[in-house]
Amino acid sequence: MLPRTIDWTGAEIVLVDQTALPTVRMASVRTVDALVDAVSRLVVRGAPALGVAGALGVVLAVRTLPPGEVAAACDRIAAARPTAVNLAVGVARARAALPGGPEAVLAAALAVRDEDVAACHAIGERGADLLTGLCGDRPLRLHTHCNAGALACVEWGTALGVVRSLHARGRVAHVVADETRPLLQGSRITALELAAEGIEHHVVVDGAGPAVIARGLVDAVVVGADRVAANGDVANKIGTYGLALAAARAGIPFVVAAPESTLDPATPTGADIVVEERDPAEVTGGAPAWNPAFDVTPRDLVTAVVTERRTWRP
Ligand code: MRU
């Protein structure tokens, strides 16, 4: 059983160090500087977990910094990564409680944590219902990308929450997990979660994902999201778009599982989403490289966005 991805001990943030996975190693974060560093290096990652990290970061700011420095610290945390809207949303939620004092800020941050747990379980059930309706009441062969599991949230997960809910109903035959270059969230993290659940799975390299779909080896694709624009365009880990194209071509569902906090009405379309560009050194040992961490799947390729409250067909 995996520990909670991120939590508050009463004095510090404790989290699973995602850079060490599949080795499970815990890390403590006590300062805003350490949190910004952890977010930047993907020690904590995944949109919902980043939302909780952002909210708890405001708690650290209030407890460790002079009052005059809290606002700038909040801005720094929110800007540590640009694409997952949950980070800035989490900061904003806790920041709005500042007038109530440190206890109010802590209560707001813990509410972000607790709401994520509830949201993931609801998404799992709703997504399982949807896929059963779309694909039939039989064990399904599913395909996912990156890690949208317990280790990207507080627990349970969004896309893997759907897989877990289906598995609990005896309705998962097999999962294909893309390796997810360059940081290997699929082979290091998703595979670990699936193994822990006893779910049959195979890792494939990212380039094989669309071909696996074209060969008829999966019944549906289910992924998470970092930001869903107002029109329904979906930003998620680089490589997601190729799966969506392949799913459309094959005529199988492409389902996005994400909490309402990932839906961003302030961003009109996918073209307005800032895609994080990371260090080329993550990709090559010296050759020039582009390293966009996310891509945008246009809404017409999305069968449905499943949140804790609704099933939205953009
Ligand atoms: O760079 P990462 O590992 O933070 O990217 C994570 C993803 O792209 C996830 O699919 C997304 O955040 C949803 S997690 C429930």
Side-chain angles (χ1 to χ4, degrees), residues 42 45-48 81 146-148 152-153 158 185 224-226 236-237 294:
L42 275 59
R45 50 147 296 278
R81 292 186 78 192
C146 193
N147 173 261
C153 306
T158 58
Q185 289 93 331
D226 287 85
N236 192 49
K237 180 56 57 187
F294 301 96

Side-chain angles (χ1 to χ4, degrees), residues 188-199:
R188 292 190 300 112
I189 309 177
T190 296
L192 174 71
E193 290 197 35
L194 293 169
E197 291 287 337
I199 297 173

Side-chain angles (χ1 to χ4, degrees), residues 190-214:
T190 296
L192 174 71
E193 290 197 35
L194 293 169
E197 291 287 337
I199 297 173
E200 196 185 324
H201 62 282
H202 286 86
V203 172
V204 299
V205 297
D206 295 357
V212 165
I213 293 170

Side-chain angles (χ1 to χ4, degrees), residues 16 42 47 50 62 72 81 98 106-107 119 121 139 155 183 185-186 191 194 199 207 217 219 224 258 264 295:
V16 176
L42 275 59
L50 287 171
V62 171
R81 292 186 78 192
L98 281 171
L106 179 60
H121 286 275
E155 56 185 50
L183 297 180
Q185 289 93 331
L194 293 169
I199 297 173
L217 298 178
D219 300 309
D264 181 15
D295 59 26

